[in-house]
Amino acid sequence: MSQPIPVQITVGNAQDLKTLKSSLLLTVVRVEYNGAGLGESSKTNVLPDGTAEYDFSTSFEYSPDGPNSLDVLVQKPLLLTLLEVAAKEKKKTEKVTPLAQAVVDLLPLLQGVRSLKVLAPLYAVPAFPSAMPHPEATAGLEVIVSTKELLLSATQFSSGNLLSITLEAAYSVPEAFTPDAQQNYMACLQIPAAGEKELPLLFKNGILKADGEKEPFPRPKNWPLGPLLAPDALNIPNSFIVGGPYEDEDGELTKSEDRAFRIQAESSRRVVWDTEIRCFLDAAAVATLQSRIAECRHWPVELCRMSMSSGGKGKASKLDKTRVQYSIFRDRRSQLSLGKERLGTSPGSKAAPNKTQKEEKDSNATQYSEAGTFLVMEINLDRPLVPKRLREELVQRVKELIPPHPALPPRTEGAKKVVEDYHKRVTSVAVAILREYHELFGKQLPDQGMMDHKTMEEQKRQLNYELNTSGKYFAFKEQLKYSVVKIVREKYLKTTAFETKEKLQEFLSELYVYLVDHMHMALNKLLSGEDVSPAPPPYTTRKQLLLFAREAEANKDLNLASLFYKQRIARDQRSIQSWLAYGAFCLLHEDATKAQECFQQAVCLDPQHIQSLLLCGIVAVKLQHYEEAEIFFEDACCLEPSSIIAWTLAGLFYELQNNYIQAERSFREAKKLLRAELEEERRLLEAAEGEEKKPSSPSTDPEKIPDSSADKPPEAVEGVTSNEEATAVQEVPEAAEPQPPPCTIFMKTVEFLMKFNAVRFVHKALAHELLSLQGGPTCAYYLALAWTYLLREDFPRCGQCLCEAARIDPLNPNVWAQKGHLFYLQKDFDKAKDCYERVISFVEDAADMHFVYLRLGSIYLDEKEYGRAKHIYLLACDNSASCLTWLGVGIACYRLEEMLEAEDALSEANALNNTNAEVWGYLALICLQGGRQLEAEQCYKYTVKLGLQNDALLQEIRAAQHRFGFGDPSL
């Protein structure tokens, strides 16, 4: 028998106690666990700021064979009750009144944590049974729970599994179930425990609810405790029943023919528990569970109605489906402890009856089948019983994702090769400049005669201006730079610094003459028409450059992001979207003047481009050029009178100017257009369904007739008479299932504004959205609001919005992606990882999966989970390849000692962006590992030249150089 382990509990300070009761002066904290009192703190004064210092410690013993065993610790929390001590009156005893309760989950103590510090929320106790507690109480209690040694070793925890079972409700219960206060509705099932034992899980205190509305989703799960003084303390933090489509459930009654019955039953008389019970399965129990599932996939669950006054034993029927011939309630009555089992005292327990609860005899067990009674429950395991093997699949994926490249031509070393390369570069640049000239001035035909000197000089001036302002001059110079460097090294054998400035100047003069001579040779060869080859196409596309720019922006490297945006424009100066993307970047980073130039350039390219006009209006507002802004918005509405976004933005602008008449007119026009759009969509949908129904017999099933009336925004009925409105309400059939949130003019506009980083207008549109929705804010609303807070790094408010979004739509991948980004920026990588993994588990992808993959991959690399990192980065490469995604694959493969795959991946990264210092650094490491000293030296020089900021990688390169005995790579 193992020795008990003390679990130390320390109650520190309390906060915001005045939100519970403003006149609170003297308090005591009582600590209980598993139905046993652990002690009370001394009487403590509440300070004027609502805080109180208790500094109270107590403990209980954890023992596998004792009352506080592993099974208890997993499922039962620590209970803390805040008591108010009234002032002692003359000849009267002090009055102690329960004020609030808090619970602390002890599960982390079994997950490798020895010290747990939490700020447990205090939930107010109602003043009397029918009263509601104070809804705005924010009081909390600081609690530290610690042990001197781990309760479970790492091996025990990793070989076991955590099982969670949530019993939601029993629906369509028999008529004999009546709302009698003397009835206790219970359910029970058994799960394998250590050895040959069976652990019974008992769900008590089911609440019989009468006919009415369905249960709301999501709703909180409850601790498996008896009634508490503070009802809200029963809710398990951050644990909700989220519901979902019937088709996604396992079990029975999930077919389309069961749908009507389920809908009716879930709003009729039912017994509700909403309780979660957890238990830890050791390795033996996990093996037993696997074998049991293999033998029979059905799990027996018993439902029991106990009477506190009736006697006799219940009659159990055979459970043929589960191959079980006994009743848990009957055969294990004493083990289940069917007496009172609760932590704390119920408010109505002053005269609790001292009678033994006994099973009620059901004369006819078929009453359940006749009523169609069914249970809804959720069973979760921390880890799958049969882990998936993905290694072979990943290896195959690497081969598929890395495309084969043609073999490189053999390298010709020496001066001849570098001079030939210089000639090719000069030719390539000359052809590119000639192409720029033709685009500006057209081709000069021979019959047009000679051009006069003044015209030629003017064209030369314009060409120089265009090359410099577009950044192409810098790009051409960069193309020549590396070939010149090679000439210096191979032709003149210069690899070290010059001794004096005079010698440097002498060398530069000589080099200049040599380069000019060979430039003329290359140009003469080009103009004579000999061996002219077109310039090679760029390896990266405009789409890839946009991705690279967004990556750099996400990494806070704004200079690099700006460079990529400019490169997109340089590729095609007539691309409106390239100008708009760069303008949006400038608008976000407070360079409104530059943004204005970009948006206006887009308008110059296409004066009728509505997006460009609207963005010009937005940036004009930013610069407080309100007259210009009005012209842009009005022009957009005139050019595209059917644009909902144009009219909505015009309304928001007029509202800024306090021109409420024009604002109302614009909003009304936008709403009218939206109504027409939704009506057209509905008409097309009905027409398509009518075509489908022609070959078959007509159907009267209301579930198969889609009703998009719920998609109409609340604004859709504005402007009609009361009679029309009443008629419209009568003609709309009642929806058989929840509809998606209504589409409004403001959320359609928010999507456009977020795309171009118009944060101020996003806030104004969201304010209108909040006022226009009768059912409260939607998930999309909170996501957009969270985006604005994330941009200005207001992390607390962003977190609040995302919590609300998750509450409304807990299965939305965009919500969890945003939560992951929030935690990532806060450097809470464990929570970020959990969110990102949840996103990947969804069937539907989030909008920004690229950054989910990138950041999750980087977390895995930091945690040395290289196999997972490789898998995630490969998914990113498949989704949208970039230098950073291939770099991640390369790093993961290198750490896994898969050198060939690592070099292939890093080569892909280098082909997409050869200015990434980290790519060159890992290539240097690979070359050192393979004994390729010359290549390692070149890679290292590029690493240093590009300014690698990763000190750990630099040290690793130098250590590798020392380990393999090569010369100093810095030479």
Side-chain angles (χ1 to χ4, degrees):
M1 181 180 297
S2 58
Q3 293 295 321
I5 300 175
V7 178
Q8 187 73 21
I9 301 158
T10 302
V11 181
N13 65 333
Q15 300 177 7
D16 295 335
L17 295 183
K18 295 290 187 179
T19 62
L20 295 169
K21 186 176 182 181
S22 59
S23 60
L24 192 60
L25 298 176
L26 197 61
T27 59
V28 169
V29 172
R30 177 187 298 158
V31 183
E32 302 171 67
Y33 189 69
N34 195 19
L38 302 182
E40 293 184 358
S41 69
S42 59
K43 299 172 187 177
T44 305
N45 290 322
V46 179
L47 300 178
D49 61 357
T51 62
E53 291 287 344
Y54 296 102
D55 196 20
F56 167 65
S57 295
T58 184
S59 66
F60 67 87
E61 289 188 342
Y62 159 78
S63 175
D65 304 311
N68 299 322
S69 62
L70 177 63
D71 298 327
V72 173
L73 211 66
V74 167
Q75 62 180 288
K76 292 189 178 180
L78 185 71
L79 179 64
L80 304 104
T81 305
L82 181 71
L83 306 169
E84 179 186 13
V85 181
K88 185 175 181 181
E89 298 180 6
K90 188 175 182 180
K91 295 183 180 180
K92 290 185 179 180
T93 59
E94 291 178 328
K95 183 180 179 182
V96 179
T97 306
L99 194 63
Q101 287 183 311
V103 293
V104 177
D105 191 358
L106 302 182
L107 181 62
L109 296 179
L110 304 175
Q111 297 172 321
V113 174
R114 289 197 305 178
S115 181
L116 176 66
K117 182 178 181 180
V118 296
L119 181 63
L122 279 165
Y123 299 99
V125 174
F128 45 91
S130 62
M132 293 297 293
H134 199 287
E136 298 180 359
T138 58
L141 202 59
E142 185 182 85
V143 182
I144 300 175
V145 185
S146 60
T147 60
K148 292 184 178 180
E149 57 184 287
L150 292 175
L151 301 185
L152 282 180
S153 67
T155 303
Q156 287 175 313
F157 183 76
S158 61
S159 62
N161 213 326
L162 184 66
L163 175 68
S164 302
I165 299 179
T166 302
L167 178 59
E168 298 180 19
Y171 296 102
S172 190
V173 295
E175 294 290 338
F177 283 31
T178 57
D180 186 350
Q182 301 298 314
Q183 302 291 329
N184 188 356
Y185 299 94
M186 298 185 293
C188 188
L189 68 159
Q190 294 188 136
I191 55 127
E196 298 297 325
K197 296 180 181 179
E198 294 286 340
L199 178 65
L201 302 184
L202 181 63
F203 295 86
K204 295 183 179 181
N205 304 315
I207 300 173
L208 181 66
K209 294 191 176 182
D211 295 355
E213 296 182 359
K214 293 175 62 176
E215 298 298 322
F217 291 103
R219 61 185 189 271
K221 297 179 181 179
N222 298 326
W223 292 107
L225 308 176
L228 297 182
L229 298 176
D232 289 344
L234 273 175
N235 299 343
I236 302 176
N238 303 318
S239 187
F240 297 92
I241 296 171
V242 297
Y246 300 144
E247 295 79 7
D248 294 342
E249 296 177 350
D250 293 315
E252 302 173 359
L253 300 178
T254 58
K255 299 178 181 179
S256 57
E257 55 265 28
D258 302 317
R259 188 179 189 85
F261 170 67
R262 291 281 301 269
I263 293 174
Q264 188 274 336
E266 290 176 6
S267 59
S268 303
R269 189 171 67 256
R270 59 209 180 274
V271 179
V272 178
W273 286 272
D274 288 348
T275 299
E276 178 184 88
I277 296 182
R278 303 179 302 210
C279 56
F280 183 79
L281 307 178
D282 61 12
V286 170
T288 303
L289 179 60
Q290 285 183 268
S291 63
R292 294 277 180 86
I293 294 174
E295 293 170 3
C296 181
R297 296 178 59 186
H298 296 96
W299 200 339
V301 181
E302 292 188 57
L303 179 63
C304 180
R305 179 165 54 101
M306 303 289 295
S307 174
M308 300 182 66
S309 57
S310 63
K313 296 183 178 180
K315 182 178 180 181
S317 60
K318 293 184 178 180
L319 301 169
D320 295 333
K321 199 170 190 178
T322 61
R323 304 179 186 175
V324 175
Q325 304 299 317
Y326 60 87
S327 166
I328 305 173
F329 283 114
R330 185 191 62 196
D331 299 344
R332 308 189 68 172
R333 177 184 177 85
S334 60
Q335 184 179 350
L336 292 178
S337 301
L338 294 181
K340 290 193 298 180
E341 181 184 2
R342 57 189 175 214
L343 304 180
T345 307
S346 171
S349 64
K350 292 181 180 179
N354 189 17
K355 296 181 179 180
T356 305
Q357 295 182 345
K358 298 184 178 180
E359 297 178 5
E360 181 184 41
K361 292 183 179 180
D362 289 324
S363 58
N364 189 358
T366 60
Q367 61 176 329
Y368 295 104
S369 59
E370 290 175 354
T373 305
F374 64 94
L375 296 175
V376 176
M377 59 197 313
E378 180 186 58
I379 303 173
N380 285 320
L381 284 168
D382 253 11
R383 292 184 291 274
L385 291 177
V386 182
K388 296 181 180 179
R389 300 181 182 273
L390 300 176
R391 179 173 177 79
E392 296 81 7
E393 183 180 335
L394 284 173
V395 171
Q396 181 62 29
R397 198 63 181 271
V398 171
K399 295 179 181 179
E400 294 174 355
L401 289 177
I402 299 181
H405 288 285
L408 294 176
R411 297 178 61 182
T412 304
E413 300 294 342
K416 181 180 178 181
K417 172 65 176 64
V418 297
V419 172
E420 290 175 356
D421 182 66
Y422 175 73
H423 281 220
K424 290 180 180 179
R425 294 292 180 182
V426 169
T427 302
S428 175
V429 171
V431 171
I433 294 176
L434 188 60
R435 188 185 301 114
E436 293 292 323
Y437 176 87
H438 288 158
E439 288 184 5
L440 285 173
F441 310 109
K443 291 187 177 181
Q444 187 75 16
L445 300 178
D447 57 352
Q448 291 179 334
M450 293 293 294
M451 185 182 299
D452 62 278
H453 180 72
K454 183 177 181 181
T455 303
M456 188 180 298
E457 288 297 317
E458 177 62 20
Q459 289 184 352
K460 179 181 177 182
R461 186 190 66 79
Q462 291 185 32
L463 178 62
N464 286 334
Y465 174 80
E466 194 67 28
L467 293 176
N468 279 282
T469 55
S470 66
K472 292 181 179 178
Y473 174 80
F474 174 79
F476 294 152
K477 188 173 69 173
E478 287 295 301
Q479 290 184 32
L480 293 173
K481 183 171 68 175
Y482 290 107
S483 59
V484 173
V485 171
K486 290 180 180 178
I487 287 178
V488 172
R489 289 176 177 172
E490 302 292 336
K491 176 71 178 176
Y492 291 91
L493 303 178
K494 294 291 183 181
T495 58
T496 58
F498 291 89
E499 298 176 358
T500 62
K501 290 184 178 181
E502 290 75 16
K503 289 185 177 181
L504 171 61
Q505 192 61 44
E506 180 182 351
F507 171 76
L508 291 177
S509 299
E510 180 183 355
L511 176 63
Y512 177 79
V513 173
Y514 181 86
L515 293 175
V516 169
D517 288 343
H518 280 272
M519 179 188 70
H520 288 154
M521 293 169 58
L523 292 176
N524 289 335
K525 188 176 181 180
L526 169 65
L527 296 176
S528 65
E530 298 177 9
D531 192 24
V532 178
S533 59
Y539 189 86
T540 54
T541 63
R542 287 207 315 267
K543 183 178 179 181
Q544 287 176 314
L545 287 174
L546 178 60
L547 179 63
F548 301 166
R550 292 182 63 223
E551 286 177 339
E553 195 173 358
N555 292 332
K556 307 296 184 183
D557 192 343
L558 301 185
N559 292 330
L560 182 60
S562 178
L563 177 62
F564 284 129
Y565 281 117
K566 291 177 181 177
Q567 286 182 5
R568 290 187 78 226
I569 294 174
R571 290 282 174 85
D572 183 6
Q573 292 197 33
R574 302 194 64 80
S575 170
I576 292 178
Q577 294 304 321
S578 296
W579 284 105
L580 295 186
Y582 186 39
F585 168 80
C586 296
L587 184 63
L588 178 62
H589 298 289
E590 301 301 323
D591 192 351
T593 303
K594 189 66 177 178
Q596 184 183 47
E597 294 174 7
C598 295
F599 296 149
Q600 289 181 354
Q601 181 63 32
V603 172
C604 291
L605 293 172
D606 183 4
Q608 297 186 1
H609 193 256
I610 301 301
Q611 286 186 345
S612 303
L613 289 169
L614 294 175
L615 291 170
C616 282
I618 289 170
V619 78
V621 173
K622 175 85 172 178
L623 295 170
Q624 298 183 0
H625 300 166
Y626 298 115
E627 293 182 4
E628 294 180 16
E630 184 173 6
I631 293 172
F632 284 122
F633 288 126
E634 186 175 352
D635 192 19
C637 292
C638 290
L639 279 173
E640 191 67 48
S642 62
S643 171
I644 297 173
I645 294 174
W647 285 108
T648 306
L649 283 177
L652 294 174
F653 166 75
Y654 286 125
E655 194 175 59
L656 271 174
Q657 300 298 298
N658 296 326
N659 189 343
Y660 297 110
I661 296 177
Q662 281 284 61
E664 183 180 356
R665 172 182 174 270
S666 300
F667 291 147
R668 186 166 57 248
E669 186 67 24
K671 293 171 185 177
K672 183 178 73 174
L673 291 168
L674 180 61
R675 283 199 302 271
E677 181 179 291
L678 294 175
E679 188 60 33
E680 178 66 14
E681 291 178 1
R682 181 178 182 180
R683 187 188 65 78
L684 293 174
L685 183 61
E686 290 176 348
E689 289 191 344
E691 291 294 325
E692 293 177 359
K693 291 179 180 179
K694 280 183 180 179
S696 60
S697 59
S699 171
T700 58
D701 184 359
E703 296 172 19
K704 297 181 180 178
I705 303 177
D707 176 23
S708 62
S709 61
D711 291 343
K712 293 185 179 180
E715 300 88 354
V717 296
E718 291 184 17
V720 299
T721 63
S722 58
N723 292 334
E724 290 172 333
E725 186 173 344
T727 304
V729 172
Q730 292 174 1
E731 293 177 351
V732 174
E734 183 178 354
E737 57 182 349
Q739 298 294 321
C743 175
T744 67
I745 61 172
F746 301 108
M747 289 311 296
K748 289 179 72 73
T749 306
V750 163
E751 292 178 9
F752 168 81
L753 295 171
M754 290 174 63
K755 182 179 178 182
F756 296 102
N757 301 324
V759 180
R760 183 181 181 186
F761 275 83
V762 168
H763 275 290
K764 289 194 64 63
L766 289 177
H768 275 277
E769 175 73 1
L770 189 61
L771 294 174
S772 67
L773 288 176
Q774 298 177 359
T778 63
C779 178
Y781 167 87
Y782 282 116
L783 270 176
L785 190 58
W787 172 81
T788 64
Y789 289 135
L790 195 63
L791 287 181
R792 65 190 194 197
E793 298 186 353
D794 188 347
F795 297 139
R797 289 187 178 181
C798 179
Q800 293 171 4
C801 291
L802 292 176
C803 286
E804 287 298 320
R807 179 185 61 80
I808 295 171
D809 189 0
L811 299 181
N812 189 325
N814 292 312
V815 174
W816 294 102
Q818 284 285 70
K819 286 177 74 96
H821 297 330
L822 172 63
F823 290 128
Y824 188 90
L825 294 176
Q826 292 177 306
K827 301 189 183 305
D828 191 345
F829 298 120
D830 287 336
K831 290 183 179 178
K833 181 176 72 171
D834 291 341
C835 293
Y836 289 147
E837 289 174 342
R838 185 186 291 251
V839 173
I840 293 175
S841 71
F842 287 127
V843 175
E844 181 184 357
D845 284 344
D848 59 342
M849 286 301 295
H850 182 78
F851 293 97
V852 171
Y853 288 139
L854 276 182
R855 288 173 170 173
L856 179 57
S858 70
I859 293 172
Y860 283 148
L861 286 180
D862 290 340
E863 295 180 349
K864 296 183 170 50
E865 295 185 28
Y866 301 124
R868 287 186 173 184
K870 177 181 174 183
H871 172 60
I872 291 300
Y873 278 120
L874 285 173
L875 290 176
C877 292
D878 191 27
N879 183 63
S880 49
S882 70
C883 174
L884 296 185
T885 61
W886 283 115
L887 171 61
V889 176
I891 295 174
C893 290
Y894 175 78
R895 299 303 179 193
L896 292 169
E897 299 183 355
E898 299 170 356
M899 296 302 170
L900 291 178
E901 292 92 334
E903 187 168 2
D904 286 343
L906 292 170
S907 297
E908 289 290 327
N910 218 358
L912 291 170
N913 180 13
N914 63 0
T915 62
N916 188 298
E918 200 165 357
V919 173
W920 287 108
Y922 277 99
L923 283 172
L925 279 175
I926 291 174
C927 293
L928 286 172
Q929 293 275 4
R932 292 140 57 188
Q933 181 182 6
L934 180 60
E935 293 178 62
E937 178 181 336
Q938 295 294 329
C939 292
Y940 179 77
K941 287 179 178 178
Y942 279 118
T943 301
V944 176
K945 182 180 181 63
L946 293 169
L948 179 65
Q949 302 297 317
N950 191 335
D951 293 334
L953 180 57
L954 278 173
Q955 293 175 6
E956 188 175 1
I957 296 172
R958 289 170 179 148
Q961 171 267 330
H962 178 74
R963 185 168 64 254
F964 292 104
F966 294 135
D968 185 359
S970 63
L971 293 178

